Amino acid sequence: MAERSTIRHKLYKIIFEAETPAGKAFDVLLLVLILSSVVVVSLESVVSLRRQFLPVFQVLEWTFTIIFTLEYFLRIYTTPKPLKYVFSFFGIVDLLAIIPTYLSLFILGSQYLLVVRVLRLLRVARIFKLTRFINEGQVLTKALRASFTKIAVFLGTVLLLIVIIGSLMYIIEGAASGFTSIPTSIYWTVVTLTTVGYGDIAPQSALGQVLASVVMIMGYGIIAVPTGIVTVEMSRSDKKIAPTRVCPNCHREGHFEDASFCYNCGYKFEEFVKPTS
Amino acid sequence: MAERSTIRHKLYKIIFEAETPAGKAFDVLLLVLILSSVVVVSLESVVSLRRQFLPVFQVLEWTFTIIFTLEYFLRIYTTPKPLKYVFSFFGIVDLLAIIPTYLSLFILGSQYLLVVRVLRLLRVARIFKLTRFINEGQVLTKALRASFTKIAVFLGTVLLLIVIIGSLMYIIEGAASGFTSIPTSIYWTVVTLTTVGYGDIAPQSALGQVLASVVMIMGYGIIAVPTGIVTVEMSRSDKKIAPTRVCPNCHREGHFEDASFCYNCGYKFEEFVKPTS
Amino acid sequence: MAERSTIRHKLYKIIFEAETPAGKAFDVLLLVLILSSVVVVSLESVVSLRRQFLPVFQVLEWTFTIIFTLEYFLRIYTTPKPLKYVFSFFGIVDLLAIIPTYLSLFILGSQYLLVVRVLRLLRVARIFKLTRFINEGQVLTKALRASFTKIAVFLGTVLLLIVIIGSLMYIIEGAASGFTSIPTSIYWTVVTLTTVGYGDIAPQSALGQVLASVVMIMGYGIIAVPTGIVTVEMSRSDKKIAPTRVCPNCHREGHFEDASFCYNCGYKFEEFVKPTS
Amino acid sequence: MAERSTIRHKLYKIIFEAETPAGKAFDVLLLVLILSSVVVVSLESVVSLRRQFLPVFQVLEWTFTIIFTLEYFLRIYTTPKPLKYVFSFFGIVDLLAIIPTYLSLFILGSQYLLVVRVLRLLRVARIFKLTRFINEGQVLTKALRASFTKIAVFLGTVLLLIVIIGSLMYIIEGAASGFTSIPTSIYWTVVTLTTVGYGDIAPQSALGQVLASVVMIMGYGIIAVPTGIVTVEMSRSDKKIAPTRVCPNCHREGHFEDASFCYNCGYKFEEFVKPTS
């Protein structure tokens, strides 16, 4: 019994963690399997290739599916809280990664199921969760979350602009030059403001081109705003020292933002110049 | 009388403010109404949909209009200064939001009136005015206003470049490859410098392509300038402390920009070292 | 005599400077004239308009030219050093602004001469020279000059990349899909790396599209480099205080970068922590 | 003997270094030769030019090749460690720069060999290695290396997004509107997210255009992230002071990164708090 549970614990350490060499090896193997399975799925979508190598694809697909199925059940078996895992985000993703292949037996040639398997990519996230990258990731996400409201305001204003400009272009250009409806014009405005510029729809009239130019220069310029926001946020989440904070007792400067005692003379700060955040 | 005025005041608090739960609910409802009305307007502009669902659109449109009309008159009724409201920016927007539908009774099928209704979106701004977003918005606008002159200089130089390059391309490429006139060439230059790149007009001659490449790399590079401006401005408008400001009495530095007393010795500032800008 | 010279001096103050109200008025008038003359030139290039309004254009053109000619000679007359002005940058630009129209009398229908007149725009620079914008402009140019070498290195590397990638695409795609020669492929690479993306040339082969994707993501990413350079440069040219600089005598921090005495106790700095620049 | 070795040493100083005037001159000459040889190679790829000037191209090509061959052997002769040079990066590049021309004698009309010669451009890197640009280059590369993990996380997430969105678009749009396979859809997603926007493939369905708009705005926004990363990294790699470094003896902070003694109390650092990266 005890021995069995130890095996289970060992497996748990291998499958769910990445401290042990075996755990690392497992993660690398899993990463390779996931990526190659996604490659197979996308190659399978190429008609010419599908015609030629259908059997190969099917064999590979089933191999991946069986391996992932085994892994899935191993995870359920080894984890102390099976239910919690099954209904966790990654539990559901793991299930989505294997179900489509089985379903494809009953629902034939379902292209949609094919593509669901691409979601296997999300499983890569778990692996990264276990690596040093996560710290960096946290720094990024922290910075982005901190600047969320600012970016929301910015996006809101931009969307408002897009709708109004789109409607204007609809009036100015009209169906003749491809601005067949307000939604289409809005689509064009997005394409232009983001400097993507497909060219499938382009203004023909002089006035339309003038307005378009304004939109482009606008879009070219306002990209500066989110960049500024994120940069400032990052540089803040980055520096931990408040250069303006001075100990009233020993006048030593450069205390940490969260310091409550002077690191030099141990003086207790009653009030201090908090660095704005 | 008094009671009536209290009702009026209550309504005012609900319609114009967002402190009370009722006020918040009203804002959310209004937001939903505005957005969905704009959605209706834009869907109505899709020919195929208009053909099919014209009656539906009309019913919806009139419902929105009547609700907004009621709201408009309620605003006039509840506000202490009706005239001031009517001629305020939002007062006019509110009117523009309802008039077109009524006019459409007399001026039939006027596409332009249709689109004016999109301006209802501007009313969203008012709602945001009442939310926490406004602070962030102020930070952004403050930063942008502060960097206005710099950006103006930048834009001026860019526009000057655009016109001169445009004229050059007009000479080099000529009407044959779509550069039919200087305005058209200028339009092409904007499209290229902003990296939008429709491709409706593209240089054919070797020399033209060389110049085009220069323009692209230029446009690719100078985007750095507005970004730098805004970022620096933001990071400054971000910290509220004036590091250069020193109390003439106790020489303590790092006072708040808007401080009028030294936080250390309480000395009243007559003159102070303005933070460099 | 003396009186005459005073008139001359007054005119000088009006034409060359902008301190006096008259000087300001003159600048505004000149700005309007320059811009509208450029507008006329570009409208004249539109074939349809030229056909219709040729006489109008000619009248306007001659009016502008005569005014600018008068201004040119007034400048020569009023300036204390006529020759120095004539051979100065703006002196030459002023000449270029009027010559083409006169030449067009002898060399008929010369489109090139037409366009040279667009260079009148350069004269706008002089007017800005006299305004508050110049300071901002100096900040910008200073920052850009400071980061010149960095940007040169960056551009050099990018150009090297562009040529090599271009040649690669020429091999991979070949003439069939529009990559008719290495120069053309290089042109395509510029169009793609700068995210302009005309679409007049686009990779067809799988390998070509893979490489193209790499180029795009590269171009999308490396824009961060010049932006970073400029931003850092600007933020430096922006702050004049060295927060890390501490007086060894009184431990007061936050001295100016170029200070050689402590602003607090007057202590002479022998060695100090120089902020890197 | 000794005299001969001195000649050899002199040549070494000229060819491999750039301190002496002769060395500088050699570098400039080499730079000109490399660039012009690359220009010749690319012009030769233009069919029309090749037809007309084939003999000229061949003469030039052979001249360059012979000069580079001489240079190559001179490098082998003068360097103290010939083998080490031959198998060094630049040694191989130097060989690649001359081999193709000789091979073209046996393998006729090999377009590929033609292009290999473009790799001569890499030799330019060596010359820059000897100039002041290298320092700037190091600053850039240092900043980029420092922010590598952050950028890797960012790129990883973006690529994951691209694959998933690509697959989605494949389902939504399908082969009809050019999204013939998942790889193609992924290619389209890259083209759109990076705001390149060729327009060779563009969504037709309403839903597709909505998703496309989301992708564009996303791509337009997330460019802020790498920019932010690099900017912050640069501004840090810019100041040479380690704010987190504290003397274990006197607790004075803000030492230079390369300091081995405390500038305050002269305490010798055994270990020190590395600046966070």
Side-chain angles (χ1 to χ4, degrees):
Chain A
M1 263 316 280
E3 174 206 322
R4 198 156 141 273
S5 72
T6 50
I7 293 165
R8 215 166 120 187
H9 186 67
K10 277 214 189 73
L11 279 167
Y12 177 83
K13 280 211 148 321
I14 293 169
I15 297 171
F16 281 91
E17 292 174 12
E19 275 62 52
T20 60
K24 279 199 182 57
F26 180 84
D27 283 337
V28 173
L29 178 69
L30 195 61
L31 189 60
V32 172
L33 282 172
I34 293 169
L35 293 181
S36 42
S37 86
V38 170
V39 169
V40 168
V41 170
S42 38
L43 289 181
E44 197 176 344
S45 73
V46 183
V47 179
S48 60
L49 292 175
R50 202 216 254 91
R51 279 221 196 71
Q52 251 182 300
F53 304 107
L54 189 53
V56 186
F57 285 134
Q58 283 174 327
V59 170
L60 282 169
E61 187 46 48
W62 276 107
T63 332
F64 289 129
T65 311
I66 287 154
I67 295 168
F68 290 148
T69 316
L70 282 173
E71 184 215 346
Y72 181 62
F73 285 117
L74 264 176
R75 284 188 185 275
I76 295 179
Y77 168 69
T78 56
T79 183
K81 300 197 189 61
L83 276 178
K84 200 158 157 305
Y85 161 70
V86 171
F87 293 107
S88 69
F89 172 72
F90 280 119
I92 290 154
V93 171
D94 293 346
L95 193 61
L96 278 175
I98 51 177
I99 277 190
T101 325
Y102 294 111
L103 282 178
S104 64
L105 290 175
F106 314 105
I107 310 141
L108 284 163
S110 163
Q111 182 192 51
Y112 297 85
L113 287 173
L114 228 159
V115 174
V116 174
R117 281 178 270 162
V118 171
L119 292 179
R120 282 168 185 168
L121 263 181
L122 290 175
R123 309 184 65 215
V124 173
R126 170 200 278 121
I127 295 167
F128 280 126
K129 257 203 138 86
L130 304 169
T131 69
R132 73 196 178 92
F133 288 101
I134 190 63
N135 302 326
E136 299 296 356
Q138 280 170 335
V139 173
L140 287 186
T141 42
K142 186 190 157 200
L144 292 178
R145 205 176 299 111
S147 53
F148 174 74
T149 17
K150 275 203 196 61
I151 286 176
V153 175
F154 172 72
L155 262 184
T157 323
V158 168
L159 289 176
L160 200 141
L161 262 172
I162 286 172
V163 174
I164 289 171
I165 293 168
S167 320
L168 265 172
M169 287 304 286
Y170 170 65
I171 299 181
I172 295 170
E173 286 289 325
S177 38
F179 295 75
T180 51
S181 68
I182 292 180
T184 315
S185 307
I186 289 172
Y187 170 68
W188 172 87
T189 315
V190 174
V191 171
T192 303
L193 195 83
T194 57
T195 76
V196 171
Y198 280 137
D200 50 357
I201 312 168
Q204 304 303 329
S205 70
L207 183 54
Q209 295 188 336
V210 169
L211 183 52
S213 307
V214 174
V215 174
M216 288 168 205
I217 291 171
M218 206 189 281
Y220 183 66
I222 58 182
I223 183 65
V225 176
T227 312
I229 295 169
V230 173
T231 307
V232 169
E233 215 48 68
M234 282 184 169
S235 61
R236 188 195 291 122
S237 77
D238 185 66
K239 66 162 134 58
K240 295 202 175 32
I241 292 180
T244 54
R245 190 167 169 194
V246 178
C247 169
N249 182 35
C250 65
H251 300 290
R252 176 62 51 85
E253 57 78 47
H255 301 274
F256 288 99
E257 284 178 352
D258 53 4
S260 47
F261 288 94
C262 171
Y263 69 79
N264 183 38
C265 64
Y267 179 87
K268 174 110 187 58
F269 297 134
E270 284 101 11
E271 59 76 42
F272 67 85
V273 188
K274 248 255 208 65
T276 54
S277 63
Chain B
M1 263 314 283
E3 175 205 322
R4 200 156 139 272
S5 71
T6 49
I7 293 167
R8 218 166 118 187
H9 187 66
K10 278 213 188 74
L11 279 168
Y12 178 83
K13 281 213 150 317
I14 293 170
I15 296 170
F16 280 91
E17 293 174 14
E19 275 61 53
T20 60
K24 280 198 180 58
F26 179 84
D27 284 339
V28 173
L29 179 68
L30 195 61
L31 189 60
V32 172
L33 282 172
I34 293 169
L35 293 181
S36 42
S37 86
V38 169
V39 169
V40 167
V41 170
S42 37
L43 289 181
E44 196 176 344
S45 73
V46 182
V47 180
S48 58
L49 291 175
R50 202 216 255 90
R51 279 221 196 71
Q52 250 181 301
F53 305 106
L54 189 53
V56 185
F57 284 134
Q58 283 173 328
V59 170
L60 284 169
E61 187 46 48
W62 277 106
T63 332
F64 289 128
T65 311
I66 287 153
I67 295 168
F68 290 148
T69 316
L70 282 173
E71 183 215 346
Y72 181 61
F73 286 117
L74 265 176
R75 285 189 184 274
I76 295 178
Y77 169 68
T78 55
T79 184
K81 301 199 188 59
L83 277 178
K84 200 159 158 306
Y85 160 71
V86 170
F87 293 107
S88 70
F89 172 72
F90 281 120
I92 291 153
V93 171
D94 293 346
L95 192 62
L96 279 174
I98 50 176
I99 278 188
T101 325
Y102 294 111
L103 281 178
S104 63
L105 290 175
F106 313 106
I107 310 140
L108 283 164
S110 164
Q111 182 191 52
Y112 297 84
L113 287 173
L114 227 159
V115 174
V116 173
R117 280 179 269 160
V118 171
L119 292 178
R120 283 169 184 168
L121 263 181
L122 290 175
R123 310 183 63 214
V124 173
R126 169 199 279 121
I127 295 167
F128 281 126
K129 258 203 138 84
L130 304 168
T131 69
R132 72 196 178 93
F133 288 101
I134 190 62
N135 301 326
E136 299 296 356
Q138 280 170 336
V139 173
L140 287 186
T141 42
K142 187 190 157 197
L144 292 178
R145 206 176 300 111
S147 52
F148 174 75
T149 17
K150 276 203 195 62
I151 285 176
V153 175
F154 171 73
L155 261 184
T157 324
V158 169
L159 289 175
L160 200 142
L161 264 172
I162 285 172
V163 174
I164 289 172
I165 293 168
S167 320
L168 265 173
M169 288 303 287
Y170 169 65
I171 299 181
I172 295 171
E173 286 290 324
S177 36
F179 295 76
T180 51
S181 69
I182 292 180
T184 315
S185 307
I186 289 171
Y187 170 68
W188 171 87
T189 316
V190 173
V191 171
T192 303
L193 195 83
T194 57
T195 77
V196 170
Y198 280 137
D200 51 356
I201 311 168
Q204 304 303 329
S205 71
L207 184 54
Q209 296 189 335
V210 170
L211 183 53
S213 307
V214 173
V215 174
M216 288 167 205
I217 292 170
M218 206 189 282
Y220 182 65
I222 57 182
I223 182 65
V225 176
T227 312
I229 295 168
V230 173
T231 307
V232 169
E233 214 48 67
M234 280 185 171
S235 60
R236 187 195 294 124
S237 76
D238 184 65
K239 57 168 138 62
K240 295 220 174 27
I241 294 173
T244 55
R245 190 166 171 194
V246 178
C247 169
N249 182 36
C250 68
H251 302 292
R252 174 64 51 88
E253 57 76 54
H255 302 274
F256 287 101
E257 284 177 352
D258 53 2
S260 47
F261 287 95
C262 170
Y263 70 79
N264 182 36
C265 65
Y267 178 87
K268 174 111 186 60
F269 296 135
E270 283 101 12
E271 57 77 42
F272 67 85
V273 187
K274 258 256 203 59
T276 55
S277 65
Chain C
M1 262 316 282
E3 173 207 324
R4 204 160 133 269
S5 72
T6 48
I7 292 164
R8 215 166 120 189
H9 186 66
K10 278 212 189 74
L11 278 168
Y12 178 83
K13 283 213 149 315
I14 292 169
I15 296 171
F16 281 91
E17 292 173 14
E19 274 62 51
T20 59
K24 280 198 181 57
F26 180 84
D27 284 338
V28 174
L29 179 69
L30 195 61
L31 189 59
V32 172
L33 282 171
I34 293 169
L35 294 181
S36 42
S37 87
V38 170
V39 169
V40 168
V41 170
S42 37
L43 289 181
E44 196 176 344
S45 73
V46 183
V47 179
S48 58
L49 292 174
R50 202 216 256 87
R51 278 219 197 72
Q52 251 181 299
F53 305 106
L54 189 52
V56 185
F57 285 134
Q58 283 173 329
V59 170
L60 283 168
E61 187 45 48
W62 277 106
T63 332
F64 290 129
T65 311
I66 287 153
I67 294 169
F68 291 148
T69 316
L70 282 173
E71 184 215 346
Y72 181 61
F73 285 116
L74 264 177
R75 285 186 185 276
I76 295 178
Y77 168 69
T78 55
T79 184
K81 301 198 188 62
L83 277 178
K84 199 158 159 305
Y85 161 70
V86 170
F87 294 107
S88 70
F89 172 72
F90 281 120
I92 290 155
V93 171
D94 292 346
L95 193 61
L96 279 174
I98 51 177
I99 278 188
T101 325
Y102 293 110
L103 283 178
S104 63
L105 289 174
F106 314 105
I107 311 140
L108 283 164
S110 165
Q111 183 192 52
Y112 297 86
L113 287 172
L114 229 158
V115 175
V116 173
R117 281 178 272 160
V118 171
L119 293 178
R120 283 170 182 167
L121 263 181
L122 290 174
R123 308 183 63 214
V124 172
R126 171 199 277 122
I127 295 167
F128 281 127
K129 258 203 138 86
L130 304 169
T131 68
R132 72 196 178 92
F133 287 101
I134 190 62
N135 301 327
E136 299 297 355
Q138 280 171 336
V139 173
L140 287 186
T141 42
K142 187 191 157 198
L144 292 179
R145 205 176 301 110
S147 53
F148 173 76
T149 16
K150 276 203 195 61
I151 285 175
V153 174
F154 172 72
L155 260 184
T157 324
V158 169
L159 289 175
L160 201 141
L161 263 172
I162 285 171
V163 174
I164 289 173
I165 293 168
S167 320
L168 265 174
M169 287 304 285
Y170 170 64
I171 299 180
I172 295 171
E173 286 289 324
S177 38
F179 294 77
T180 52
S181 69
I182 292 179
T184 315
S185 308
I186 289 171
Y187 170 68
W188 172 87
T189 316
V190 173
V191 171
T192 304
L193 196 81
T194 56
T195 76
V196 171
Y198 281 138
D200 52 354
I201 312 168
Q204 303 304 328
S205 71
L207 184 54
Q209 296 189 336
V210 170
L211 183 53
S213 307
V214 174
V215 174
M216 288 167 205
I217 291 171
M218 206 189 281
Y220 182 66
I222 57 182
I223 182 64
V225 176
T227 311
I229 294 168
V230 173
T231 308
V232 169
E233 214 51 66
M234 282 185 168
S235 61
R236 187 196 291 123
S237 76
D238 184 65
K239 63 164 135 59
K240 296 206 175 27
I241 293 182
T244 55
R245 192 168 169 190
V246 178
C247 170
N249 182 35
C250 65
H251 300 292
R252 176 64 49 87
E253 58 76 52
H255 302 274
F256 287 100
E257 286 179 350
D258 53 3
S260 45
F261 287 94
C262 171
Y263 70 81
N264 182 37
C265 64
Y267 179 87
K268 174 112 187 56
F269 297 135
E270 285 101 12
E271 58 77 41
F272 66 83
V273 187
K274 247 254 208 64
T276 56
S277 64
Chain D
M1 263 315 282
E3 174 207 323
R4 205 161 131 268
S5 70
T6 49
I7 293 164
R8 217 166 119 188
H9 187 65
K10 278 214 190 70
L11 279 168
Y12 177 83
K13 281 213 150 315
I14 293 168
I15 296 171
F16 281 91
E17 293 173 12
E19 274 63 52
T20 59
K24 280 197 180 58
F26 180 85
D27 283 337
V28 173
L29 179 70
L30 195 62
L31 189 58
V32 172
L33 282 171
I34 292 170
L35 293 181
S36 43
S37 86
V38 170
V39 169
V40 168
V41 170
S42 37
L43 289 181
E44 198 176 342
S45 73
V46 183
V47 180
S48 60
L49 292 175
R50 202 217 254 88
R51 279 221 196 72
Q52 251 181 301
F53 304 107
L54 190 51
V56 186
F57 285 134
Q58 283 174 328
V59 170
L60 283 169
E61 187 45 48
W62 276 106
T63 331
F64 289 128
T65 312
I66 287 152
I67 295 169
F68 291 148
T69 316
L70 282 173
E71 184 216 344
Y72 181 62
F73 285 117
L74 264 176
R75 285 185 185 276
I76 295 178
Y77 168 70
T78 54
T79 183
K81 301 197 188 62
L83 278 178
K84 198 158 159 307
Y85 160 71
V86 171
F87 294 107
S88 70
F89 172 72
F90 281 119
I92 290 155
V93 171
D94 292 346
L95 193 62
L96 280 174
I98 52 177
I99 277 189
T101 324
Y102 294 111
L103 283 178
S104 63
L105 289 175
F106 314 105
I107 311 141
L108 284 163
S110 164
Q111 182 193 51
Y112 298 86
L113 287 172
L114 228 158
V115 175
V116 174
R117 281 178 271 161
V118 171
L119 293 178
R120 282 169 183 167
L121 262 181
L122 290 175
R123 307 183 64 214
V124 173
R126 171 200 277 122
I127 295 167
F128 281 125
K129 257 205 139 85
L130 304 168
T131 69
R132 73 198 177 92
F133 288 101
I134 190 64
N135 303 325
E136 298 297 355
Q138 280 171 336
V139 173
L140 287 186
T141 44
K142 186 190 158 199
L144 292 179
R145 205 178 298 112
S147 53
F148 173 75
T149 17
K150 275 202 196 61
I151 286 175
V153 174
F154 172 72
L155 260 184
T157 325
V158 169
L159 289 175
L160 201 141
L161 262 171
I162 285 171
V163 174
I164 289 172
I165 292 168
S167 320
L168 265 173
M169 287 304 286
Y170 170 64
I171 299 182
I172 295 171
E173 286 290 324
S177 39
F179 295 76
T180 51
S181 68
I182 292 179
T184 315
S185 306
I186 289 171
Y187 170 68
W188 172 87
T189 315
V190 173
V191 171
T192 304
L193 195 82
T194 57
T195 76
V196 171
Y198 280 136
D200 51 355
I201 312 168
Q204 304 305 328
S205 70
L207 184 54
Q209 296 190 335
V210 170
L211 183 52
S213 307
V214 174
V215 175
M216 288 169 204
I217 292 171
M218 207 189 281
Y220 182 65
I222 58 183
I223 183 64
V225 176
T227 311
I229 294 169
V230 173
T231 307
V232 169
E233 214 49 68
M234 281 185 169
S235 61
R236 189 197 289 124
S237 78
D238 185 67
K239 60 169 133 62
K240 293 222 172 26
I241 293 173
T244 55
R245 191 168 169 191
V246 179
C247 169
N249 182 36
C250 68
H251 302 292
R252 175 66 52 88
E253 57 78 52
H255 302 275
F256 286 102
E257 285 178 352
D258 53 5
S260 46
F261 287 95
C262 170
Y263 71 79
N264 182 37
C265 66
Y267 179 87
K268 172 113 188 55
F269 296 134
E270 285 101 11
E271 57 75 43
F272 67 86
V273 188
K274 260 256 203 59
T276 54
S277 65

